[in-house]
Amino acid sequence: MKIKEILSVLEEMAPLAYAEDFDNVGLLVGDQNSEATGVLVCHDALENVIDEAIEKKCNLVVCFHPILFSGLKKITGKNYVERSIIKAIKNDIAIYAVHTALDNHQHGVNKIFCDAIGLVNTSVLVPKQNFIRKLITYTIPENAEKVRNALFEAGAGNIGNYEDCSFNSKGIGTYMGNENSDPQLGERFEFVETPEIKIEVTFEKHLESKILKALFSNHVYEEVAYEIYELQNQHQNIGLGMIGEFNTPMEENDFLAVVKDKMQSDGIRHSAFLGKPIKKVAVLGGSGSYAIKNAILAGADAFLTADLKYHQFYEAENQLLLADIGHFESERYTKNYIVDYLRKKILNFAIILSEENTNPVKYL
C-alpha cells in the first residue's frame, strides 16, 4: 500500500478544505508515493515520537498538531521542531497533520470532547463562514434528471440532515448558433425557443471542480450555461466548537469533577461559580478564548476550553461558568479517534496508537 492511499482515507475523515486558512495541514514531510510500512498516530510529532515510529517500523506518522506550523529558513537541529524534521527525513518517515481540518468536522475534535463528558443534542458553536456556494444551470427537460443526479453524486445538494436537495423551475430558453455551432436542438442560424429546466443546488466550495466536471460530462448542450455564487449562509455542520446538553443538570462542583475525571485533567482553572445548575455546555478543544461570546450568545451554562489568560476569565460576565481544562486534555482522545477510523477503513495493516505522552504542561 502506498502512503498516498492512506492519505486519501485521512482526507475522507478530515477534508483539508475544512482547515482554517492560518493552519498547516496535510503531508508535511515525506514522499506520498513510498510504500507504507505502518502508521503511528500521535498528538504531536516530537523527536521521541519519531524514535517510536522507527522502533515500530512505521514510516508514516499521523499527528494532530502540525510539527511544521510556520516557515523554516534553516534546518540545523537547533530546536525541537528542526530535530524532529531532520530525524524524520533521515529515516524516510512521512508526517501528516490533521489539526483544524478535524477541529471543524462535525464528528471531529469537539464531538469527541462532547461524547467524552456525556453531552447530547450537539451542534456547531462557531459555524464556518463563506464555505457554501450555489450552482445554477439550465437544460432541456429530458436531460434534467441526468444532470441533477450527476451533481448529487459529485457532492452537491447536501443541506444539514438532508441530501439530494435542489430547486427546479420551468422556463423558456432561447439561442441562435453561428457558423461554428453544433446545436443540440435546431440548426445553425436558426432562432430556437425551447422549454428548459432551471436547476439550483448548493455545494461546499472545495467541491467546485468536481461539480463542474459532473455538469459538463452530463449536460447535452454544446455550450453549458451556468452561474456560481458565494453564499453568506453559515455552514451548520462545519465549524469550531460545539454546544450540547446533559440529560440531567448537575451542580457546578459536580460538573467540574465529572469533566476533570472524564478528560483526565490534573487541574481546572475556572471563573466564579454562579450558583446555578449546569445543563447546556459549550466546548472548544484547544485555544478557544475567541468563542466565549459565542458560548454566551448560545445560552451555555458553562464553556470548556483551554489556554485562557487572566483577563479573559472576566469575559464570563457572570453569565456562564468558564473553565480552562488544559490544551492537551481538551484534545486528548483525538488520536484514539483517528486510530479507530483508520482501522475500520484499512484492514490487515499496522495502525498503531503512540504510547508517548507529548503534553508539555506538568502539574505539581
Side-chain angles (χ1 to χ4, degrees):
M1 175 180 289
K2 300 281 189 184
I3 285 177
K4 64 182 178 182
E5 295 176 68
I6 300 172
L7 302 191
S8 67
V9 176
L10 287 165
E11 289 201 39
E12 288 176 11
M13 178 192 72
L16 298 183
Y18 287 9
E20 295 298 302
D21 293 338
F22 64 79
D23 206 2
N24 189 32
V25 294
L27 185 63
L28 307 181
V29 174
D31 180 3
Q32 66 174 358
N33 292 310
S34 297
E35 286 292 327
T37 59
V39 180
L40 181 70
V41 180
C42 65
H43 203 81
D44 303 277
L46 304 181
E47 193 175 3
N48 59 333
V49 173
I50 303 301
D51 286 332
E52 183 183 12
I54 296 168
E55 179 189 345
K56 295 176 179 176
K57 296 181 172 52
C58 296
N59 67 343
L60 173 60
V61 171
V62 177
C63 52
F64 178 64
H65 290 140
I67 186 67
L68 279 174
F69 194 77
S70 54
L72 293 177
K73 292 186 177 179
K74 297 178 181 179
I75 305 180
T76 60
K78 69 178 182 296
N79 58 45
Y80 76 97
V81 172
E82 295 178 11
R83 288 192 295 274
S84 296
I85 299 303
I86 289 172
K87 183 163 285 190
I89 292 172
K90 280 185 174 181
N91 291 276
D92 293 324
I93 293 174
I95 302 175
Y96 183 98
V98 294
H99 206 208
T100 58
L102 193 56
D103 273 314
N104 275 310
H105 198 285
Q106 63 177 325
H107 299 300
V109 175
N110 296 293
K111 183 61 166 68
I112 298 164
F113 194 164
C114 288
D115 290 345
I117 63 173
L119 296 177
V120 297
N121 302 324
T122 56
S123 59
V124 173
L125 179 64
V126 188
K128 200 163 183 63
Q129 305 279 350
N130 304 318
F131 202 71
I132 304 175
R133 292 182 179 171
K134 175 183 273 193
L135 168 73
I136 298 175
T137 190
Y138 311 82
T139 189
I140 55 176
E142 296 84 354
N143 183 226
E145 183 177 359
K146 181 180 180 182
V147 168
R148 219 173 20 240
N149 289 340
L151 295 174
F152 294 155
E153 184 68 25
N158 294 322
I159 302 176
N161 296 321
Y162 296 85
E163 56 185 38
D164 295 357
C165 302
S166 69
F167 185 80
N168 304 266
S169 51
K170 296 179 181 179
I172 300 296
T174 66
Y175 58 83
M176 183 171 65
N178 61 23
E179 67 273 11
N180 296 316
S181 66
D182 183 19
Q184 175 73 19
L185 299 174
E187 304 294 334
R188 297 172 185 169
F189 304 110
E190 177 187 358
F191 179 78
V192 176
E193 189 173 18
T194 183
E196 286 191 324
I197 302 293
K198 178 182 180 182
I199 302 171
E200 303 178 48
V201 291
T202 58
F203 61 93
E204 296 176 2
K205 67 178 183 180
H206 64 286
L207 298 174
E208 183 170 323
S209 60
K210 188 177 180 182
I211 297 292
L212 290 179
K213 182 178 179 181
L215 174 64
F216 297 146
S217 299
N218 291 276
H219 206 293
V220 295
Y221 284 176
E222 180 185 14
E223 300 289 348
V224 180
Y226 70 95
E227 306 155 42
I228 290 179
Y229 299 96
E230 183 177 280
L231 302 183
Q232 296 300 310
N233 306 49
Q234 297 178 333
H235 198 307
Q236 58 186 306
N237 284 336
I238 299 174
L240 295 167
M242 278 202 160
I243 187 163
E245 58 187 18
F246 291 115
N247 287 319
T248 304
M250 61 182 80
E251 297 304 315
E252 291 160 308
N253 262 323
D254 295 335
F255 163 68
L256 291 181
V258 167
V259 172
K260 185 176 181 181
D261 175 59
K262 297 293 186 182
M263 304 306 291
Q264 301 177 41
S265 176
D266 287 324
I268 296 179
R269 299 184 303 138
H270 63 85
S271 60
F273 284 167
L274 302 176
K276 65 177 185 179
I278 304 295
K279 180 174 177 63
K280 197 171 186 180
V281 179
V283 308
L284 201 158
S287 303
S289 60
Y290 58 86
I292 294 172
K293 289 182 180 178
N294 298 81
I296 292 172
L297 289 173
D301 301 314
F303 179 37
L304 303 174
T305 188
D307 300 341
L308 296 176
K309 296 179 181 179
Y310 175 88
H311 290 95
Q312 289 169 337
F313 283 95
Y314 288 127
E315 295 179 27
E317 295 283 3
N318 293 319
Q319 295 184 62
L320 48 58
L321 176 64
L322 186 56
D324 183 334
I325 74 166
H327 194 123
F328 178 88
E329 290 81 358
S330 69
E331 301 166 339
R332 71 158 56 250
Y333 300 116
T334 303
K335 63 181 182 179
N336 304 71
Y337 174 86
I338 297 170
V339 166
D340 291 343
Y341 187 94
L342 290 177
R343 285 175 177 170
K344 289 175 184 174
K345 295 288 184 176
I346 305 173
L347 305 178
N348 303 316
F349 193 80
I351 312 291
I352 300 171
L353 179 66
S354 173
E355 297 177 13
E356 295 292 327
N357 182 348
T358 58
N359 186 0
V361 180
K362 308 302 177 186
Y363 298 87
L364 190 61

